[in-house]
Amino acid sequence: MEYIIVQAGGKGTRLQYLTKNKPKALVPVENLPMLFHLFQKYPDKRFIIIADYHKEVLHEYLAAFAKVKYRIVDAQGTGTCAGVRQAVSLIPEGQAFMLIWSDLILPDSFMLPDEYGADNGSANNYIGISKTFPCRWSYCDGLFTEERSSEHGVAGFFLFSDKSILTDVPESGELVRWMQQKSFRFKEISLAGTKEFGLLEEYQKLAREKCRPFNRITFEGDYLIKEPVDDQGEKLATKEQAWYEKAVRNKVDIIPKIYEKSPLKMERISGKNIYEYQLSYKEKAEILEKLVAALRHLHQSDSIEADAFSMREAYFNKTMDRLSRIEDLVPFAREREIVINGKKCKNVYFLKRKLEKMLQRLSCDRFSFIHGDCTFSNLMLRDNGEPVLIDPRGYFGYTDFYGDVRYDWAKLYYSIVGNYDRFNLKQFKLEIGENGVFLEIQSNGWEDMEDEFFRLTRAEPEEIRLIHAVIWLSLTTYAWQDYDSICGAFYNGLYYLEDLW
């Protein structure tokens, strides 16, 4: 079997706000769009994807991020029959294929029948039976019944031996009802362990996941073990391990105790991330003073001569490289001005040389030992109120360990004023209208610390605000797993940048 048809049409209305700006196939589950779970499971197959609602988003998103062979069919008609005939026409005669609904996530343990291997042979037609979640239709003893069932539920998964069985499928209507009327008969295959996310209630049962899932965290008593889960995670893990080694040599004491390197085994901190606490103004001021002192201690532990090429890479090149991937994806990205939260904001795509000159004015003689990603998500408080630095980035531009101290301050500002941590947990609302956008991010509750932040850090406000805006713009494709996060990061960057042009 070489071909997979994915029914990704439909408005996904049962997912409510999650499909306001995108098709349901792109709703992220466990830090990956639902459709990409299928890509990940069958990376060598040829995908034919049926699209209608927000089909332009699907086209541009896949063009930017899909790494599989695929074709998109713009569905004619309505219902689950829509687009099927068009999709089937792209499959050669005599080829077996899969037809699956886009909101199904198959378990790692799921295996295709042997007859659907490299040699199609005399394959049968199969229907997937849910076993673990309820479906509106059931299939039992060779008969379809419009009766809610889990034990015999029709999950939206089919294996066909040849496309001839679907040549007369109507352009509109319900595919399962049509199969019932045609008296289709299938062999059954269990989909036990498969997850279906057609309902908001099922989606909301998921744990809140942060963007960019490079690592797997497990706990063993008082220890935390951190392991990379992909190639990017491997690279970052190597840098993180090296950063902790250097921090220990530099006698930096605001980090967890490290016990083993590969995988990283460290102290399990008894405490929480800073954004998880409900604090008074006085408590926040005291914590901020400790945080600034801790970071200053880190910065003063070591330094080297600054590298102008790393400055350009970290602030300008990386940002523009990431933005170049989404210019066709984000609504209004081709417009010179975008109305964001009621404010007209100039578009960075038309002013990139001006931004380049602004960033060139960030002169720097010395690079200090920096954390590189000191947001509240990477800063914890022990139960006694002492801060702990975790998850260091370990590089700045082309330079390992060392970088511009303003980058650390801007990342802290990113949480205090930008509320990045809530955004990272997808606790935001994004409405994309005909004439502009509205973005509302849930607050960390630290905005009232802005003046205190500048007093303690003694950083130049305009410089920090410029770097802060650039960090938001750079987040776009770093948070590629969620379309709304890509768009929201872009708009937020423009919003903060507007006051600095």
Side-chain angles (χ1 to χ4, degrees):
M1 187 196 78
E2 190 175 357
Y3 295 88
I4 298 177
I5 297 175
V6 184
Q7 178 50 277
K11 292 185 176 181
T13 52
R14 295 182 300 164
L15 286 171
Q16 299 179 33
Y17 66 91
L18 293 170
T19 53
K20 188 176 183 66
N21 305 312
K22 59 185 178 294
K24 84 178 165 185
L26 297 185
V27 171
V29 171
E30 296 176 347
N31 282 312
L32 203 62
M34 287 193 275
L35 178 59
F36 279 63
H37 283 272
L38 202 57
F39 291 169
Q40 193 175 69
K41 188 168 182 65
Y42 299 110
D44 299 325
K45 304 300 182 185
R46 297 181 178 223
F47 291 86
I48 304 168
I49 302 157
I50 300 170
D52 54 16
Y53 176 69
H54 281 314
K55 61 185 178 184
E56 70 287 348
V57 172
L58 188 63
H59 275 274
E60 299 301 341
Y61 190 91
L62 295 186
F65 301 114
K67 296 179 181 179
V68 296
K69 300 182 184 75
Y70 74 90
R71 291 281 304 270
I72 298 177
V73 167
D74 291 341
Q76 299 170 3
T78 59
T80 49
C81 285
V84 173
R85 184 186 295 183
Q86 297 163 261
V88 166
S89 70
L90 298 176
I91 297 176
E93 297 284 350
Q95 288 287 319
F97 64 96
M98 178 193 299
L99 171 60
I100 184 171
W101 282 197
S102 66
D103 56 6
L104 293 182
I105 298 180
L106 300 170
D108 293 340
S109 59
F110 178 80
M111 301 290 290
L112 292 170
D114 291 341
E115 58 194 292
Y116 279 81
D119 181 8
N120 289 325
S122 55
N124 292 286
N125 297 320
Y126 287 84
I127 186 169
I129 303 301
S130 71
K131 300 296 184 183
T132 50
F133 58 89
C135 303
R136 191 164 65 86
W137 284 85
S138 67
Y139 183 82
C140 186
D141 297 328
L143 296 174
F144 285 101
T145 307
E146 193 172 358
E147 180 179 276
R148 189 173 178 83
S149 174
S150 294
E151 185 179 358
H152 302 287
V154 177
F157 175 98
F158 306 91
L159 295 173
F160 294 103
S161 60
D162 180 77
K163 69 178 185 179
S164 59
I165 194 171
L166 294 178
T167 50
D168 61 342
V169 63
E171 287 189 352
S172 296
E174 190 175 357
L175 186 63
V176 174
R177 189 178 302 280
W178 175 74
M179 290 178 176
Q180 179 196 46
Q181 293 167 354
K182 300 285 287 187
S183 300
F184 276 25
R185 296 184 71 85
F186 294 91
K187 292 185 71 174
E188 295 182 18
I189 184 169
S190 172
L191 296 186
T194 296
K195 297 177 181 177
E196 192 258 356
F197 291 97
L199 289 171
L200 182 63
E201 290 80 359
E202 291 301 316
Y203 185 86
Q204 289 176 330
K205 291 177 184 176
L206 292 168
R208 288 286 185 180
E209 297 281 352
K210 298 178 182 179
C211 297
R212 306 172 306 285
F214 305 139
N215 306 294
R216 179 187 300 111
I217 303 293
T218 55
F219 298 101
E220 291 183 2
D222 294 333
Y223 303 112
L224 179 149
I225 299 171
K226 188 174 182 181
E227 300 172 276
V229 297
D230 57 21
D231 290 342
Q232 189 170 6
E234 288 280 0
K235 294 176 184 177
L236 293 174
T238 300
K239 290 182 180 293
E240 181 178 2
Q241 291 160 13
W243 188 94
Y244 277 124
E245 285 183 14
K246 185 169 183 62
V248 170
R249 290 197 304 270
N250 287 0
K251 296 182 169 41
V252 174
D253 58 2
I254 49 174
I255 61 173
K257 294 176 183 177
I258 308 298
Y259 300 101
E260 295 178 14
K261 286 196 306 180
S262 187
L264 198 58
K265 184 176 182 180
M266 65 180 73
E267 169 194 7
R268 182 177 183 177
I269 303 297
S270 180
K272 296 186 292 187
N273 288 105
I274 293 176
Y275 66 85
E276 297 179 276
Y277 289 91
Q278 296 294 319
L279 302 165
S280 67
Y281 182 94
K282 181 180 178 182
E283 288 171 327
K284 287 184 290 187
E286 290 173 352
I287 290 169
L288 184 58
E289 187 170 1
K290 289 181 179 179
L291 286 174
V292 171
L295 285 168
R296 184 164 282 122
H297 171 65
L298 177 76
H299 299 157
Q300 292 174 349
S301 69
D302 203 1
S303 69
I304 61 171
E305 185 177 351
D307 174 36
F309 289 85
S310 288
M311 288 284 286
R312 179 181 174 82
E313 173 66 16
Y315 289 140
F316 183 73
N317 290 350
K318 178 180 70 175
T319 303
M320 297 314 300
D321 285 348
R322 290 178 177 175
L323 289 177
S324 68
R325 297 185 65 188
I326 61 162
E327 191 169 0
D328 293 326
L329 176 61
V330 176
F332 306 114
R334 296 288 188 179
E335 304 292 326
R336 286 189 172 272
E337 289 186 333
I338 305 173
V339 178
I340 303 168
N341 291 355
K343 179 167 72 174
K344 280 189 178 181
C345 299
K346 289 179 278 296
N347 191 340
V348 68
Y349 287 113
F350 294 88
L351 294 167
K352 62 182 180 180
R353 294 304 164 211
K354 185 171 182 178
L355 176 62
E356 181 181 20
K357 290 179 180 178
M358 292 166 67
L359 291 169
Q360 284 173 347
R361 291 198 289 268
L362 295 173
S363 60
C364 184
D365 296 326
R366 302 287 297 177
F367 276 180
S368 295
F369 186 37
I370 64 170
H371 180 278
D373 199 16
C374 50
T375 63
F376 284 174
S377 297
N378 297 330
L379 286 164
M380 297 186 71
L381 289 182
R382 296 184 187 274
D383 290 336
N384 64 4
E386 294 302 312
V388 185
L389 296 172
I390 61 172
D391 295 339
R393 173 160 295 173
Y395 67 96
F396 178 81
Y398 304 116
T399 307
D400 289 338
F401 309 128
Y402 304 92
D404 182 3
V405 296
R406 289 169 296 192
Y407 193 67
D408 268 357
W409 298 137
K411 279 296 182 93
L412 187 55
Y413 186 82
Y414 192 34
S415 286
I416 291 172
V417 173
N419 296 308
Y420 158 75
D421 314 277
R422 300 297 177 182
F423 184 89
N424 197 33
L425 291 168
K426 301 181 182 65
Q427 294 174 350
F428 66 90
K429 293 180 181 178
L430 175 64
E431 296 182 10
I432 302 174
E434 292 184 3
N435 301 309
V437 301
F438 174 78
L439 174 66
E440 182 181 19
I441 304 173
Q442 186 174 321
S443 176
N444 278 331
W446 280 69
E447 292 93 338
D448 56 355
M449 287 289 108
E450 183 175 12
D451 290 343
E452 188 69 3
F453 165 85
F454 284 118
R455 184 187 72 80
L456 290 168
T457 61
R458 300 190 294 276
E460 174 57 46
E462 187 168 310
E463 292 180 343
I464 299 303
R465 288 169 180 146
L466 173 60
I467 297 170
H468 177 232
V470 165
I471 289 171
W472 275 107
L473 293 174
S474 186
L475 178 63
T476 48
T477 51
Y478 204 57
W480 73 268
Q481 296 93 340
D482 179 36
Y483 173 76
D484 287 359
S485 294
I486 293 171
C487 296
F490 177 72
Y491 298 135
N492 219 25
L494 295 191
Y495 187 84
Y496 283 117
L497 195 57
E498 179 60 26
D499 295 332
L500 302 171
W501 291 118

